[in-house]
Amino acid sequence: MRERRERCVVTFRTTTGAMEMERSCEEAGLPGRLIPVPRAITAGCGMCWAAPPEARDALEELAVKKRLDVDGVYAIII
């Protein structure tokens, strides 16, 4: 069983938005990966980007810069 820890979770209105985040983070060298949206959060699509909490500011800056289809940004233990 995986150890539960705090993560920065970015949700999207569309699956395309989630995939654009993945591509943008890979290009920018930012950590994280696509995962199913945790039950505690509702979102427009079923996928979200999960990353270490210390990456939150960089992820938010990237989302604004690239005009990504972000629905919300959360700190959650998963």
Side-chain angles (χ1 to χ4, degrees):
M1 182 182 233
R2 224 181 241 197
E3 180 183 333
R4 294 171 53 95
R5 57 187 165 168
E6 184 178 349
R7 305 296 286 170
C8 173
V9 173
V10 182
T11 60
F12 306 91
R13 292 180 188 92
T14 65
T15 303
T16 302
M19 294 170 65
E20 287 176 11
M21 179 66 147
E22 180 180 41
R23 182 178 43 81
S24 296
C25 285
E26 287 176 1
E27 289 174 358
L30 293 176
R33 65 187 181 106
L34 286 175
I35 64 168
V37 175
R39 289 183 214 144
I41 301 173
T42 58
C45 85
M47 302 186 78
C48 66
W49 187 257
E54 58 271 9
R56 183 177 183 143
D57 290 340
L59 293 173
E60 288 176 343
E61 287 176 22
L62 179 69
V64 170
K65 179 181 174 185
K66 297 280 188 168
R67 297 184 183 150
L68 300 176
D69 189 23
V70 171
D71 189 38
V73 180
Y74 305 87
I76 187 170
I77 296 176
I78 52 175

